[in-house]
Amino acid sequence: MTSWTFGREYSDRTLKDLLVLPISRGKIAIAKYVAIIFWCLVMMLISFAYALILGFAIGLPGFSFAIVQHYLFLILIIGALHLLLSAPLALLACISRGYLVPIGFAFTTLMLALVFGPTAIGKYLPWSVPALHLQENGIASFPLAETSYFLVFLIGLAGFIGTFKWLQNREQR
């Protein structure tokens, strides 16, 4: 969603129209990030509701409000981690002037997380942290440290600031 939101304007050649609006480019970047967060939250809640309905339909035992609350917070935390990790995709979309390079980057980081996530170095690879956080709520082989979450936050912050600065310093072409 992030690569599409930021990269599609280059593909459709509508960025030049967006840059001439009497709105600061920083506000445009923030508005795009807010839209991404909103729609990702909506999709997470729809998926969670669907899972609840499916659980009721097949009659899963052990349903309680505490379990629903636990898994709702868990999906929101994992969603927030993924949103932070998607911030560099916006910068890549701006630099590459499209959405294919960030999608390729996302698939590459997914493969790296799948390969190195279960190893001891997985907790230092930011893209494996959401899956390890989910696993940690069960029994984790390699428990996460504060460093793991800090790396995710750092990646998100760098992506946001980089995108913000990139859009502010771009000239219309």
Side-chain angles (χ1 to χ4, degrees):
M1 186 178 294
T2 303
S3 62
W4 183 266
T5 303
F6 280 89
R8 191 63 191 174
E9 287 158 352
Y10 291 100
S11 301
D12 290 342
R13 302 190 193 287
T14 57
L15 184 68
K16 62 185 182 311
D17 300 329
L18 185 63
L19 294 180
V20 297
L21 292 174
I23 300 170
S24 76
R25 295 173 183 178
K27 286 183 181 177
I28 291 171
I30 291 171
K32 286 184 176 200
Y33 275 115
V34 168
I36 291 166
I37 291 168
F38 172 76
W39 283 111
C40 285
L41 179 65
V42 167
M43 287 190 306
M44 283 187 295
L45 293 176
I46 288 172
S47 298
F48 187 74
Y50 179 72
L52 280 177
I53 292 168
L54 190 62
F56 279 129
I58 64 172
L60 284 178
F63 176 79
S64 72
F65 180 73
I67 290 174
V68 171
Q69 184 180 13
H70 169 75
Y71 283 107
L72 178 62
F73 287 131
L74 186 61
I75 196 171
L76 291 175
I77 290 169
I78 291 171
L81 292 171
H82 279 293
L83 281 169
L84 283 169
L85 292 172
S86 74
L89 298 177
L91 180 60
L92 281 174
C94 292
I95 291 171
S96 68
R97 297 179 183 209
Y99 56 90
L100 293 178
V101 170
I103 289 174
F105 179 77
F107 281 121
T108 302
T109 56
L110 173 66
M111 292 302 126
L112 288 173
L114 288 172
V115 170
F116 295 110
T119 67
I121 62 170
K123 63 183 176 181
Y124 300 111
L125 182 65
W127 290 273
S128 64
V129 170
L132 292 175
H133 180 81
L134 178 63
Q135 182 185 10
E136 196 170 77
N137 283 294
I139 299 173
S141 305
F142 305 101
L144 292 173
E146 290 82 22
T147 309
S148 303
Y149 297 105
F150 179 72
L151 289 172
V152 171
F153 177 75
L154 198 62
I155 292 287
L157 186 64
F160 178 76
I161 291 173
T163 305
F164 190 81
K165 293 293 184 184
W166 178 269
L167 287 175
Q168 278 187 330
N169 297 326
R170 284 305 290 166
E171 293 298 322
Q172 180 184 350
R173 290 183 188 191

